[in-house]
Amino acid sequence: LARIFPLAGVTTNPSIVAAGKTPLDELLPALHDALGGKGRLFAQVMATTAEGMVEDARKLRAIINDLVVKVPVTAEGLAAIKMLKAEGIPTLGTAVYGAAQGMLSALAGAEYVAPYVNRVDAQGGDGIQTVIELQQLTRRSQRCWPRALKPRVRRWTACWQAASPSRCRWTWRSSLLPL
């Protein structure tokens, strides 16, 4: 696919990896090679404690050193995101079901947020509205964020505006939003 389509990155999760039955130490390098040196590779931690997530992240980064680590945005996940940020390991806050949850992941130090648009819709919510609220929340919060965070929020806002999700609701099912 990378030969035909312009790919910005590849993401995977534990259930996809388990279904494929290819060990991570083989799968991640293959995915990284498929990107041809372009785009980001994302892989998720499995542990449920902050310390375990940090250890998982280190193991994933030992396989692919420029990998972005996906961390579920739970209380333990937020603690892990903060610890990984301190180590210079980039993260994606995943399993985000609400704007406030996404904002917390950004404040903890996540470089990306992955709202579960399709799952929010399946549960009777409005996934696109959740993303819009996250965008609005980050805009309002820019005033009180440290200077270092403001450029990331502006970059996220520009990426979001360029995506124009309101015009493609029927295809907009999952999103990786850079902050």
Side-chain angles (χ1 to χ4, degrees):
L1 289 176
R3 186 176 69 78
I4 300 167
F5 297 109
L7 298 179
V10 174
T11 184
T12 189
N13 65 45
S15 61
I16 292 171
V17 172
K21 298 182 178 158
T22 302
L24 272 177
D25 60 348
E26 294 175 25
L27 177 65
L28 293 178
L31 291 172
H32 191 260
D33 290 346
L35 284 169
K38 298 176 183 164
R40 300 299 304 254
L41 181 58
F42 301 81
Q44 189 167 331
V45 297
M46 294 284 298
T48 56
T49 65
E51 294 77 14
M53 291 179 197
V54 170
E55 185 58 34
D56 283 359
R58 290 177 185 142
K59 289 177 184 174
L60 291 169
R61 297 271 297 188
I63 299 169
I64 300 292
N65 68 352
D66 63 345
L67 179 126
V68 177
V69 179
K70 294 171 58 178
V71 178
V73 183
T74 61
E76 290 295 306
L78 289 169
I81 290 169
K82 285 179 70 174
M83 291 188 287
L84 292 167
K85 177 72 175 175
E87 290 187 25
I89 297 175
T91 57
L92 175 148
T94 191
V96 172
Y97 291 89
Q101 187 185 17
M103 184 68 175
L104 286 172
S105 70
L107 291 172
E111 293 186 21
Y112 300 87
V113 174
Y116 280 4
V117 174
N118 192 43
R119 291 186 189 176
V120 170
D121 287 347
Q123 294 173 359
D126 186 340
I128 296 298
Q129 185 60 38
T130 298
V131 175
I132 290 168
E133 290 169 4
L134 177 57
Q135 178 190 24
Q136 291 169 345
L137 188 57
T138 57
R139 270 197 199 140
R140 276 187 236 130
S141 299
Q142 283 185 44
R143 292 188 293 271
C144 59
W145 285 16
R147 273 183 187 236
L149 284 177
K150 287 183 181 181
R152 278 199 282 164
V153 173
R154 279 192 222 103
R155 187 173 71 227
W156 176 86
T157 301
C159 290
W160 175 250
Q161 288 169 339
S164 299
S166 61
R167 287 184 277 175
C168 56
R169 180 183 169 107
W170 65 274
T171 59
W172 192 267
R173 287 290 164 238
S174 180
S175 55
L176 296 178
L177 303 176
L179 295 173

